[in-house]
Amino acid sequence: MTTETGVLVVGASAAGLSTAEALRRGGYDGEITMIGAEVHAPYDRPPLSKQVLAGDWAPDRAVLRAEDHIDGLGITVALGETALSLDARTRTVRTSRREISADHVVIATGAHPRSLPGQPVIDGLHSFRFVDDATALRADLLEARRLVVVGDGVLGAEIAATAHEMGVDVTVVGPQAGLMESQLGGGISSVLTELHAAQGVGLRLGEAVVGFAESGGRVGGVELATGETLPADVVVVAVGAAPVTDWLRDSGLDVDDGVLCDSACRAAEGIYAAGDVARVRDAVTGTSRRLENRTNATEHGLTVAAEILGQPRGPVGAPYFWTDQFATKIQVHGVIPRGAEMTVVEGDLAAGRFVAALSIDGTVAAIVGWNMAKQSRRHVGRIGHTVHEDQVGVG
Ligand SMILES: Cc1cc2nc3c(=O)[nH]c(=O)nc-3n(C[C@H](O)[C@H](O)[C@H](O)COP(=O)(O)OP(=O)(O)OC[C@H]3O[C@@H](n4cnc5c(N)ncnc54)[C@H](O)[C@@H]3O)c2cc1C
């Protein structure tokens, strides 16, 4: 039996919900069906590695919207239902329960954690993306003495900070010279790395992991290419995420590290992708980019809804993400290119409160706030301008 709907949103999380809400706000009165593989009501991921892991929030506090708000949207939400394939020509999705055909299909299936080659499935070895991962890791950390985090990116750094504050002895191991170096550039990465070192997080940077030691049926350590084993009672592998596109294999869509879309998130006639799964072409540069951040998920939802409503949005602002580690709040506006030069434009680096412009060939590509969130926003107008154009966009 085939169910028919106006809009089918596949993926009940940040991007999917943003699309459904924006459609209703914009006056769409057709049927909206949202399916999600998880059994949990739509929830937010940023608190998982911070408040939920720390135990400051009960897991259900991370829900994105109250139940009555979702009821009020008048959408059909089917949780625990997984999309298995899509026929882009007929816009028909086969799910674990049925077939659904739609006037518009929104692909919002996000990403899933990457694992290391040959990574075993053993007790004490965790990946981290879903609320159940946060609960399971927290339970293990409450009993643990030593955690090794494999991964020196944003998720690894956040988990390390939270676990250290829980009183666990933490070591981060990864291939980069500094924490979050590819996301923050060398200058800010050094400041972050020093922050972790000063707090007492062990850092084994510039190291390759080749395997895991087992002890009594549990993970016992992390093996490095040098032959050394870092002992651990708990290990988290946080080595990035891959877009969830396996179900689109025979869809007829272009998929290459994400669903390829035009600048309006359109993958094919009546088919859109939003959030972490979408690789969107930049209307100006023509290059395509897949972003994994919370604001991007919301923005894509707004863009897709506007397209479906026939009221296209103009270009959106610079990409933006934040991360909280220890008491430090970091805001990143724009994308920091490799080799970017850092100039402090407000505040004081030594005092732990500053705004920096990250420039390449003298042109600002990104603005970073370090414990200066509000002030950093005031400098966003500098992006695209020469670093020394002092008054550009600063209100
Ligand atoms: C632990 C953590 C902390 C983060 N912290 C920050 C932060 O501090 N700042 C920031 O800017 N960003 C942060 N992010 C990134 C941000 O949360 C993501 O960019 C955002 O969740 C992406 O939303 P999404 O809806 O595109 O995808 P997801 O949130 O991944 O949701 C996709 C949903 O689709 C479902 N799904 C997958 N396959 C199928 C299928 N075949 N059928 C049906 N449903 C399916 C999944 O189960 C999932 O619920 C964090 C991410 C994580 C994991």
Side-chain angles (χ1 to χ4, degrees), residues 38-340:
E38 293 180 75
V39 293
H40 304 286
Y43 62 88
D44 215 6
R45 293 183 207 280
L48 299 183
S49 46
K50 308 172 187 79
Q51 295 89 341
V52 175
L53 184 59
D56 297 338
W57 286 16
D60 58 9
R61 189 163 159 198
V63 290
L64 278 165
R65 299 286 183 265
E67 207 176 318
D68 55 354
H69 171 88
I70 295 193
D71 290 347
L73 290 172
I75 61 179
T76 306
V77 182
L79 299 173
E81 180 167 359
T82 304
L84 303 176
S85 64
L86 164 71
D87 181 342
R89 208 176 33 84
T90 59
R91 292 190 291 274
T92 303
V93 171
R94 188 167 60 84
T95 79
S96 46
R97 295 185 193 153
R98 55 187 162 154
E99 270 193 355
I100 310 172
S101 61
D103 300 332
H104 308 272
V105 175
V106 182
I107 298 166
T109 45
H112 63 88
R114 292 185 197 274
S115 48
L116 291 172
Q119 184 177 317
V121 179
I122 47 174
D123 284 351
L125 181 56
H126 295 255
S127 59
F128 199 98
R129 180 151 187 111
F130 303 99
V131 66
D132 297 337
D133 297 334
T135 314
L137 179 60
R138 177 168 169 76
D140 250 8
L141 289 181
L142 289 173
E143 305 289 321
R145 280 184 306 120
R146 277 180 306 210
L147 166 71
V148 173
V149 178
V150 179
D152 48 21
V154 58
L155 187 57
E158 285 190 357
I159 291 170
T162 304
H164 181 80
E165 289 186 319
M166 290 171 70
V168 179
D169 177 15
V170 182
T171 301
V172 179
V173 56
Q176 303 186 98
L179 293 174
M180 291 183 68
E181 192 178 44
S182 64
Q183 288 139 319
L184 295 179
I188 307 271
S189 166
S190 305
V191 184
L192 181 67
T193 306
E194 279 165 28
L195 170 70
H196 277 252
Q199 293 285 338
V201 173
L203 297 169
R204 299 298 300 262
L205 299 170
E207 303 263 17
V209 169
V210 294
F212 300 90
E214 282 187 53
S215 158
R218 276 186 69 88
V219 74
V222 171
E223 296 166 350
L224 304 182
T226 55
E228 188 183 350
T229 298
L230 303 176
D233 339 284
V234 181
V235 174
V236 182
V237 176
V239 293
V244 178
T245 55
D246 50 338
W247 65 285
L248 298 169
R249 202 174 298 117
D250 302 318
S251 64
L253 297 179
D254 284 336
V255 174
D256 181 8
D257 185 33
V259 178
L260 299 185
C261 301
D262 67 13
S263 57
C265 295
R266 188 192 316 268
E269 190 57 38
I271 301 185
Y272 302 85
D276 286 12
V277 74
R279 174 169 287 280
V280 175
R281 199 172 65 239
D282 185 295
V284 179
T285 64
T287 55
S288 67
R289 185 161 62 188
R290 190 173 71 80
L291 295 172
E292 290 176 14
N293 70 59
R294 185 62 186 78
T295 306
N296 180 62
T298 301
E299 291 291 346
H300 279 179
L302 299 180
T303 298
V304 170
E307 289 295 315
I308 292 172
L309 290 163
Q311 301 156 2
R313 303 170 85 201
V316 294
Y320 164 75
F321 78 91
W322 78 93
T323 175
D324 302 339
Q325 297 174 33
F326 298 107
T328 297
K329 296 191 180 307
I330 304 168
Q331 327 280 318
V332 180
H333 304 267
V335 176
I336 301 175
R338 189 184 289 269

Side-chain angles (χ1 to χ4, degrees), residues 331 333 355 367-369 372-380:
Q331 327 280 318
H333 304 267
V355 179
I367 294 290
V368 174
M372 284 189 120
K374 198 170 67 193
Q375 294 87 338
S376 73
R377 279 195 295 279
R378 296 210 307 256
H379 290 270
V380 170

